Amino acid sequence: MLSCHPTIDILTEYAAGSLPLAHSLGVSVHLDQCPHCRDQVRRLNNIGAELFSEHSAEVRPDHMASLKSKVMASLVNHEETQAAVDDNTAFQHIPRSLRRWIPQGFNDLNWMPLTPSFKLATLSNESGGAQIALSRVKPGARLPNHTHTGNEITVVLKGAFSDDEGLYREGDFICRDHNHKHQPRVTKDAECICLIILDSPIEFTGWFTRLLNPIMRYFHPNSAAT
Amino acid sequence: MNTVSETKTDNTLLVDMSQVAQARDTRALERLFDHYAPRIRAFCLSSQPGANLMADDIAQEVMIRIWNKAHLYNPSTASLNTWVFTIARNARIDYMRKNGRYQSDIDPEDFWSEMADENADPFREAQQQRDQVRIREGLTQLPSEQQQVLSKVYLEGKSHSEASEELGLPLGTVKSRVRLALNKLSVIIKR
């Protein structure tokens, strides 16, 4: 049983489509492993469906007729289309919504070592948006002390880590804001891989690791503005 | 009385939908168009008032997706309204992503996992219908301030903080109104 879930506020925004895309990605990775939140989202979708179906606007009939013939005319070529559902084989452990970026498994990504025990691989940078990356930390290692300059969403993909507030396992969804300063530690039995979604760069507060901050900023899509 | 006629419409649409899926019946798709296209347009216009071109584009795109994905629709996992709503929601997000302020290579269609993987379950279908009726009736009985925030969030696609700015209310008030509404609609599942 997972212990950390998105709040109902986040799930509502997700269902309504008003959550930023990058955050929605984090939620969807969690949903992949959490039947409870899936059920919750399904119910939240039902509200949207009701509001949607009760809300119609008047349109000129001739306008709708011409739109309809456009739709009908463009069907022909698509008739055979069958969306291929990709859930094959070797990479079942990778959440479906991430497989596009991780087609060949975790090892095949372009990992950038930041400290001897901590590596980072960027999956996607939205221009002016969030950075989406994976962090990979060796068994038993401590992450450098750091703080967040914006919101950070973490979803555990493999292994487990803990901080002052608890232990987080595969599938857990953790949302931290900029007031939060913490030093996560990975459990000793296995390495830990997490999806992290950063609204703005992480800032290391340790003596020595501060030297990494320019690198963290460099790789964040928001850095161009500063 | 209203509920009875609504349910009847729902059933007619459901028959059309299965005609589309199984017989590739274009007439049935036209009937779905007549029902849904004005709603999809209205849904788009509530987030971008006046953007008629966008509304047309998205309505067209959604109807084509309904045609192409018809075989994936499973009435025991979602009502037809819910299914079409999620397609319209995703298409709206997708449109904004391609034409909007910031570019992104995240595809909202990747989030479909939540709808796709449930096993067919007759109990769930009945449950699903009960939920839907309860929500339909519950929505009309909500205080107007709660209806207002729900429509900001769902129809206009505003985040809680955008809604709080536009309504001139503290963020906490917006969040609590949404939660109160969800509670009244018995949508929140207790852990």
Side-chain angles (χ1 to χ4, degrees):
Chain A
M1 186 65 190
L2 303 174
S3 58
C4 293
H5 306 266
T7 60
I8 191 75
D9 304 336
I10 292 181
L11 291 178
T12 307
E13 289 184 335
Y14 174 82
S18 57
L19 194 67
L21 265 184
H23 296 194
S24 298
L25 179 69
V27 172
S28 109
V29 169
H30 172 77
L31 291 181
D32 216 44
Q33 305 199 42
C34 182
H36 181 276
C37 288
R38 275 207 300 274
D39 224 26
Q40 182 66 72
V41 166
R42 193 170 21 243
R43 288 179 176 216
L44 290 165
N45 284 343
N46 289 341
I47 298 183
E50 274 317 304
L51 292 166
F52 163 76
S53 65
E54 293 298 309
H55 180 69
S56 192
E58 277 186 40
V59 208
R60 291 203 325 272
D62 57 327
H63 180 81
M64 288 316 276
S66 87
L67 190 59
K68 179 154 69 172
S69 42
K70 259 201 217 165
V71 170
M72 301 317 283
S74 52
L75 291 184
V76 190
N77 304 330
H78 292 281
E79 221 170 301
E80 297 306 315
T81 313
Q82 299 274 312
V85 185
D86 129 61
D87 27 284
N88 53 19
T89 61
F91 304 114
Q92 284 287 0
H93 60 289
I94 294 171
R96 264 170 297 188
S97 35
L98 292 180
R99 279 184 211 155
R100 199 148 58 86
W101 289 294
I102 317 175
Q104 302 299 321
F106 292 127
N107 287 337
D108 213 49
L109 293 170
N110 191 8
W111 292 99
M112 178 178 70
L114 284 173
T115 74
S117 53
F118 171 42
K119 288 187 266 191
L120 203 69
T122 297
L123 299 185
S124 167
N125 276 331
E126 298 181 294
S127 61
Q131 179 184 23
I132 299 161
L134 299 187
S135 65
R136 186 171 206 171
V137 184
K138 287 189 174 158
R142 253 175 208 287
L143 235 66
N145 228 321
H146 68 274
T147 181
H148 305 130
T149 49
N151 289 328
E152 182 200 59
I153 288 173
T154 305
V155 189
V156 184
L157 302 180
K158 185 178 175 215
F161 78 90
S162 63
D163 65 11
D164 326 338
E165 287 172 33
L167 174 68
Y168 312 102
R169 293 188 203 83
E170 244 178 81
D172 275 338
F173 179 99
I174 307 117
C175 187
R176 299 271 188 245
D177 66 15
H178 57 281
N179 296 318
H180 203 92
K181 193 168 160 180
H182 71 153
Q183 187 174 32
R185 175 185 208 144
V186 169
T187 55
K188 292 198 174 103
D189 52 326
E191 67 167 350
C192 180
I193 298 180
C194 292
L195 170 71
I196 52 178
I197 294 153
L198 298 165
D199 284 348
S200 41
I202 292 182
E203 213 157 81
F204 291 107
T205 53
W207 226 94
F208 184 69
T209 51
R210 248 172 238 208
L211 298 172
L212 293 171
N213 289 339
I215 303 176
M216 300 309 287
R217 284 196 293 270
Y218 179 78
F219 282 100
H220 195 281
N222 274 346
S223 61
T226 52
Chain B
M1 291 310 272
N2 193 25
T3 319
V4 175
S5 69
E6 287 287 338
T7 316
K8 199 175 158 211
T9 322
D10 285 359
N11 286 336
T12 323
L13 294 169
L14 212 50
V15 172
D16 285 335
M17 188 62 208
S18 85
Q19 280 296 105
V20 169
Q22 282 154 28
R24 305 312 270 154
D25 181 345
T26 52
R27 287 267 163 218
L29 188 76
E30 290 191 28
R31 287 190 292 272
L32 292 177
F33 179 98
D34 294 337
H35 181 80
Y36 282 116
R39 288 171 169 78
I40 300 164
R41 287 187 86 263
F43 175 67
C44 296
L45 290 172
S46 43
S47 71
Q48 303 278 308
N52 282 295
L53 277 179
M54 163 186 157
D56 286 346
D57 277 358
I58 295 177
Q60 196 177 340
E61 172 67 24
V62 172
M63 293 314 298
I64 292 170
R65 285 193 196 174
I66 289 175
W67 176 259
N68 290 339
K69 287 169 172 287
H71 61 289
L72 298 173
Y73 173 62
N74 176 354
S76 65
T77 63
S79 74
L80 187 56
N81 280 341
T82 303
W83 192 67
V84 176
F85 162 71
T86 56
I87 296 179
R89 174 198 67 193
N90 292 0
R92 189 171 80 177
I93 298 171
D94 207 31
Y95 190 93
M96 307 292 264
R97 164 175 84 105
K98 287 173 180 150
N99 302 283
R101 267 175 295 150
Y102 52 98
Q103 311 281 304
S104 162
D105 60 352
I106 304 171
D107 186 345
E109 286 294 301
D110 289 347
F111 304 157
W112 268 62
S113 53
E114 94 240 26
M115 308 296 295
D117 66 352
E118 299 302 319
N119 299 321
D121 173 356
F123 291 110
R124 195 186 278 285
E125 189 168 354
Q127 172 73 37
Q128 181 75 36
Q129 279 170 7
R130 278 199 302 276
D131 285 354
Q132 203 73 38
V133 170
R134 202 190 47 230
I135 289 172
R136 182 171 299 167
E137 286 166 358
L139 276 172
T140 61
Q141 286 158 24
L142 288 180
S144 60
E145 60 192 39
Q146 288 170 25
Q147 286 182 5
Q148 185 191 34
V149 290
L150 281 189
S151 109
K152 279 262 173 227
V153 171
Y154 277 99
L155 295 178
E156 296 181 28
K158 298 286 184 324
S159 67
H160 290 8
S161 55
E162 287 165 337
S164 100
E165 261 173 47
E166 288 191 11
L167 297 170
L169 293 168
L171 180 57
T173 308
V174 169
K175 285 186 177 177
S176 74
R177 283 184 187 173
V178 173
R179 285 188 207 175
L180 281 170
L182 299 181
N183 269 318
K184 286 215 183 100
L185 299 171
S186 325
V187 162
I188 298 183
I189 306 172
K190 299 280 178 291
R191 284 182 213 287

